[in-house]
Amino acid sequence: MKKQFLIACMVLLSFTTIPFISQAQTIKISGEVSTPLTVDAAYLQKFTQTTVVRKDRDGKDHTYSGVILSEILKGAGVTLGPELKGENLTKYLLVEASDGYQVIFALAELDKSFTDRAIILADKVDGAPLATADGPYRIIVQDEKKPARCIKQVTAMQVHFVK
Amino acid sequence: MNHPKHNPLLNRLRKGRVMFLLLIFVIVSGWCYVDSSIETGPYNLVYPTNFGNRVNIPADNPTTKQGVYLGRMLFYETKLSSNNKLSCSSCHQQDKAFTDGRAFSPGVDGILTPRNSMSLVNLLWARKFFWDGRASGLEEQAMTPLTSPHEMGQSLTTSAQKLTQATNYPTLFKLVYGDEKITGDRIVKAISQFERTLISANSRYDQYLRGAYQPTPDELKGMELFNTMPHPEKGIRGANCSHCHGGPKTYMELFHNNGLDSLPKDSGMEILTRLPADRGRFKVPTLRNIAFTAPYMHDGRFKTLEEVVDHYSEHIEQSASLSSFLQGESNEPGGKSLKLLPVEKKQLIAFLNMLTDSAFITNPAFSDPHLLSTKNKKH
């Protein structure tokens, strides 16, 4: 009897704890790509790390580090570099955050042969991981005056043609 | 009308009697077909241009006048519940901007819903539904309250059977879908069509935006606070509500933790995603008709707008998942909450009352159609 009660308790307990096994945030890359990707921390480590300095709301400069966005997109087979011409110039990247916020970049804004401005997917600020409410991944747009496209808590990126 | 006596054919031929019966049959069935007062054709969804055209209508459920008519009948139809007592309108009442005035709502079994009933307005632009955004369309959303044992508690198959046996529904479904078949899919599609017409665009705020209303000084000051980010170092005072509740619709489809608890009882979106960053995160609800939709928040914890404003002004609870838009947002240097002055709270509430659209909550096109028809004919 006692044993059954114990087992019942354990079963119940295991149910209640299920929702609290935490997961790690990843980023899904989909749409007009040749290889849909799920980006996680380990995947990002394979790329060269780049830093971008940006002023935050506190008015102070902060050093963000991460990976050039176009490098990640190339890994998914997005038409960048020599392929970015003709109708491919009507493609855009839609970035979505966990709070539902969305921003877009024209592919040409991300391409090195069009611009030197760096747009990175950052996972660190001043050498430390981003705060929970900002991270784990945030887009940092070099020199853009408004921070509105420095989208926090990125969860998905999709490449689309304009209709 | 053709009277058989004046028809020489009928007088001459014995077959004429058959034709006569046939004619009567056609006339009668045509009359039964549907109440001729029901308009048909595409439904014209009218809204101001500043609402934008990013509307959400699935390709397989275009909005038609007859579909909206049927959807409205179904929205108020108690046959869709297992005890024939509940309809969507039990928890979504027009005079309360389609909420029900309760913190939690009883279903057919008397058990309360775990979250607060949500106002149904300007859903045409929404893409994620429920407090945690778990339903990705109105059609999908409607299945939950219909079938949940603690809400209307009836399978879609049973609902379809009950409607098939009702006098008026088969002909109505034929008018909308081309044949009399009644299915769960057709039920939720029609309800969704009706919900898409619930457009509110005539509050004093809308009127102000189109240059047709001059706000009072308190309303103007409240609007400014609503839209301004506080900057105590620069002497700029604000309440920064528009960061989450902004735009002409006062709805932006965002999901945030607005600092109600540091250890939430209901952990919101985290239950779905298991991400610690989603703890206590809920849909940022529309503020349209906010004066009518008390009690407030996902658990109905606040009874008045004064309590809501006090929350943002004094009681933001810190946690790792607190929205970054509310971290360190204050009118006092180093403050953790907004710290508004009593007069500013009053002004903010004056602005919130500007979002009341009385025409919406009294619009006869959204009211219970069964009340009208029972007055005229018996069922």
Side-chain angles (χ1 to χ4, degrees), chain B residues 46-60:
Chain B
V46 182
Y47 51 87
T49 48
N50 63 359
F51 276 25
N53 295 315
R54 201 182 184 193
V55 297
N56 188 6
I57 305 173
D60 65 354

Side-chain angles (χ1 to χ4, degrees), chain A residues 18-26 57 94 96-102 131-135 152-153 155, chain B residues 54 127-128 229-230 253-256 267 269-270 273-278 281 320 322-325 327 329:
Chain A
I18 285 170
F20 298 100
I21 299 169
S22 298
Q23 307 270 310
Q25 182 67 61
T26 56
R57 275 195 52 211
L94 172 71
E96 187 164 329
S98 59
D99 68 352
Y101 185 59
Q102 297 173 320
T132 308
D134 295 347
K152 298 168 172 180
Q153 299 187 310
T155 57
Chain B
R54 201 182 184 193
R127 277 159 285 133
K128 295 175 186 160
M229 201 187 268
E253 195 140 306
L254 294 175
F255 296 82
H256 279 279
S267 61
M269 290 176 75
E270 187 193 25
T273 64
R274 299 184 194 177
L275 294 169
D278 288 337
R281 184 178 246 181
L322 172 64
S323 167
S324 63
F325 303 155
Q327 290 188 20
E329 282 285 314

Side-chain angles (χ1 to χ4, degrees), chain B residues 157-215:
Chain B
T157 322
T158 309
S159 288
Q161 277 164 2
K162 278 164 84 175
L163 295 184
T164 307
Q165 282 150 21
T167 43
N168 49 345
Y169 280 110
T171 41
L172 267 174
F173 274 77
K174 179 166 184 183
L175 186 69
V176 177
Y177 298 109
D179 63 64
E180 292 192 353
K181 207 166 81 201
I182 300 182
T183 63
D185 183 55
R186 287 180 172 184
I187 292 172
V188 297
K189 277 184 171 155
I191 293 177
S192 305
Q193 287 192 38
F194 169 64
E195 290 180 287
R196 291 196 175 91
T197 68
L198 300 175
I199 296 172
S200 162
N202 199 27
S203 67
R204 292 202 302 288
Y205 183 51
D206 298 297
Q207 293 166 15
Y208 160 77
L209 290 177
R210 61 170 191 261
Y213 174 71
Q214 175 56 45

Side-chain angles (χ1 to χ4, degrees), chain B residues 63-313:
Chain B
T63 323
T64 62
K65 287 180 186 152
Q66 62 272 30
V68 170
Y69 181 94
L70 172 61
R72 180 177 163 207
M73 296 281 286
L74 294 173
F75 187 89
Y76 287 96
E77 183 54 75
T78 51
K79 289 191 184 78
L80 294 178
S81 65
S82 62
N83 63 1
N84 297 310
K85 286 187 181 139
L86 250 61
S87 70
C88 307
S89 74
S90 308
C91 304
H92 301 288
Q93 302 162 15
Q94 184 183 11
D95 63 344
K96 299 184 179 71
F98 294 100
T99 60
D100 63 357
R102 298 172 147 124
F104 304 107
S105 324
V108 282
D109 56 0
I111 293 181
L112 298 177
T113 53
R115 291 177 184 156
N116 183 236
S117 170
M118 303 176 83
S119 116
L120 307 183
V121 65
N122 298 338
L123 296 170
L124 179 59
W125 290 268
R127 277 159 285 133
K128 295 175 186 160
F129 301 88
F130 287 128
W131 280 106
D132 52 12
R134 67 187 183 277
S136 56
L138 281 171
E139 286 78 2
E140 181 192 334
Q141 189 284 327
M143 300 206 207
T144 302
L146 285 168
T147 58
S148 158
H150 310 312
E151 290 183 68
M152 293 160 79
Q154 181 166 285
S155 75
L156 292 175
T157 322
T158 309
S159 288
Q161 277 164 2
K162 278 164 84 175
L163 295 184
T164 307
Q165 282 150 21
T167 43
N168 49 345
Y169 280 110
T171 41
L172 267 174
F173 274 77
K174 179 166 184 183
L175 186 69
V176 177
Y177 298 109
D179 63 64
E180 292 192 353
K181 207 166 81 201
I182 300 182
T183 63
D185 183 55
R186 287 180 172 184
I187 292 172
V188 297
K189 277 184 171 155
I191 293 177
S192 305
Q193 287 192 38
F194 169 64
E195 290 180 287
R196 291 196 175 91
T197 68
L198 300 175
I199 296 172
S200 162
N202 199 27
S203 67
R204 292 202 302 288
Y205 183 51
D206 298 297
Q207 293 166 15
Y208 160 77
L209 290 177
R210 61 170 191 261
Y213 174 71
Q214 175 56 45
T216 66
D218 269 359
E219 288 171 344
L220 269 180
K221 203 71 211 3
M223 194 188 313
E224 190 187 320
L225 287 164
F226 188 88
N227 289 312
T228 309
M229 201 187 268
H231 248 303
E233 292 80 8
K234 295 184 189 160
I236 300 170
R237 296 191 65 86
N240 200 27
C241 316
S242 65
H243 213 130
C244 292
H245 294 285
K249 297 193 289 285
T250 67
Y251 176 71
M252 311 204 292
E253 195 140 306
L254 294 175
F255 296 82
H256 279 279
N257 174 324
N258 69 340
L260 294 175
D261 307 287
S262 29
L263 264 178
K265 228 194 303 177
D266 178 346
S267 61
M269 290 176 75
E270 187 193 25
I271 299 169
L272 301 179
T273 64
R274 299 184 194 177
L275 294 169
D278 288 337
R279 185 163 305 160
R281 184 178 246 181
F282 291 93
K283 186 179 208 175
V284 182
T286 179
L287 295 189
R288 202 158 270 276
N289 289 312
I290 195 69
F292 295 125
T293 67
Y296 302 107
M297 306 298 167
H298 69 271
D299 53 6
R301 67 176 65 191
F302 298 134
K303 289 180 185 62
T304 61
L305 288 174
E306 282 76 9
E307 288 178 45
V308 172
V309 172
D310 284 347
H311 161 70
Y312 287 106
S313 181

